[in-house]
């Protein structure tokens, strides 16, 4: 049936993408300046989001690049997009009064967007096997808030678990 054919197609497509993620090798040093710029832009996204969160008590933990730069498919006109993970203020966790930051678009020094999610929401995306988010566990372009290095390293070191759950 058409439905079964579609399911098989998407299953095979997912396997191909998962294998590509497993074999992901950070971008080769083809242009030192480009790599430095990409790191700087990811850090810039992190700092600008952090400045928006700090006054209300939310803690930005992790910002990572997603998109063409991770696969060496970027061009001179490619923008830099990121996903960020934050820990809400404890009062909002207790009262379940979460702030859902919308996609932050075009407010950066460089073109690009950032999707900001709570730790809970980000981990849920990993558990679901969402490839747009799993990519964040492989990219070398990251910024980690001080004090969270161990946990982010642990998450990235154990990233294969999320691929196994997907199958």
């Amino acid at each position: 049936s058409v439905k079964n054919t579609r399911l098989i197609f998407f299953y095979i497509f997912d396997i191909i993408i998962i294998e590509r993620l497993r074999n992901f090798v950070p971008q080769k040093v083809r242009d030192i300046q480009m790599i430095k710029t990409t790191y700087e832009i990811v850090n810039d996204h992190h700092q600008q989001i952090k400045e928006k969160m700090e006054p209300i008590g939310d803690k930005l933990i992790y910002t990572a690049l997603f998109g063409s730069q991770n696969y060496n498919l970027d061009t001179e006109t490619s923008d830099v997009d990121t996903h960020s993970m934050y820990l809400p203020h404890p009062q909002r966790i207790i009262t379940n009064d979460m702030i859902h930051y919308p996609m932050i678009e075009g407010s950066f020094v460089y073109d690009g967007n950032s999707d900001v999610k709570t730790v809970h929401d980000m981990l849920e995306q990993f558990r679901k096997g969402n490839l747009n988010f799993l990519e964040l566990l492989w990219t070398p372009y990251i910024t980690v808030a001080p004090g969270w290095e161990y946990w982010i390293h642990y998450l990235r070191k154990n990233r294969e678990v999320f691929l196994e759950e997907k199958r």
Side-chain angles (χ1 to χ4, degrees), residues 20 23 27-28 31 46 50-51 56 61 75 88 93-94 102 104 109 111 118 120 133-134 137 147-149 156 163:
R20 188 170 186 183
N23 297 321
Q27 182 178 4
K28 292 186 177 157
D31 181 350
H46 185 86
K50 179 181 168 187
E51 289 171 9
I56 56 175
I61 296 171
T75 65
I93 294 171
I94 293 167
I104 299 172
V109 173
D111 288 337
T118 65
H120 176 268
F133 290 89
L134 288 175
L137 299 176
W148 289 92
E149 298 89 352
R156 291 170 59 90
L163 293 179

Side-chain angles (χ1 to χ4, degrees), residues 24-48 62-66 69-70 74 79-82 84 108-111 136 138-144 156:
F24 179 75
V25 176
Q27 182 178 4
K28 292 186 177 157
V29 183
R30 63 178 164 80
D31 181 350
I32 298 294
Q33 184 61 39
M34 179 61 189
I35 290 175
K36 182 179 180 188
T37 301
T38 302
Y39 279 114
E40 289 174 348
I41 294 170
V42 170
N43 188 58
D44 181 55
H45 280 210
H46 185 86
Q47 295 305 320
Q48 289 183 40
Y62 178 65
T63 300
L65 176 79
F66 79 99
Q69 292 87 354
N70 284 329
D74 55 314
D79 63 356
V80 176
D81 297 321
T82 57
S84 296
F108 300 107
V109 173
Y110 303 96
D111 288 337
L136 308 178
W138 269 264
T139 182
Y141 304 105
I142 63 172
T143 300
V144 181
R156 291 170 59 90

Side-chain angles (χ1 to χ4, degrees), residues 55-159:
I56 56 175
D58 291 338
K59 175 73 175 164
L60 186 60
I61 296 171
Y62 178 65
T63 300
L65 176 79
F66 79 99
S68 60
Q69 292 87 354
N70 284 329
Y71 303 99
N72 202 14
L73 298 173
D74 55 314
T75 65
E76 290 181 15
T77 60
S78 295
D79 63 356
V80 176
D81 297 321
T82 57
H83 284 300
S84 296
M85 178 170 40
Y86 80 99
L87 185 64
H89 185 278
Q91 181 178 351
R92 276 195 282 291
I93 294 171
I94 293 167
T95 61
N96 198 27
D97 182 25
M98 301 295 175
I99 294 177
H100 294 284
Y101 292 91
M103 175 77 78
I104 299 172
E105 300 178 15
S107 62
F108 300 107
V109 173
Y110 303 96
D111 288 337
N113 302 315
S114 189
D115 187 19
V116 182
K117 297 205 173 294
T118 65
V119 171
H120 176 268
D121 291 343
M122 186 72 76
L123 291 174
E124 187 63 27
Q125 294 300 317
F126 294 155
R127 280 191 288 274
K128 287 179 179 178
N130 185 330
L131 298 175
N132 290 324
F133 290 89
L134 288 175
E135 177 180 351
L136 308 178
L137 299 176
W138 269 264
T139 182
Y141 304 105
I142 63 172
T143 300
V144 181
W148 289 92
E149 298 89 352
Y150 171 81
W151 294 110
I152 296 302
H153 174 74
Y154 181 82
L155 187 64
R156 291 170 59 90
K157 185 175 107 180
N158 293 289
R159 60 194 173 201

Side-chain angles (χ1 to χ4, degrees), residues 1-19:
S1 80
V2 173
K3 184 177 181 181
N4 288 339
T5 304
R6 290 173 104 185
L7 287 174
I8 291 169
F9 170 78
F10 286 115
Y11 180 74
I12 292 170
F13 180 75
D14 283 354
I15 290 172
I16 291 168
I17 295 299
I18 287 169
E19 288 307 312

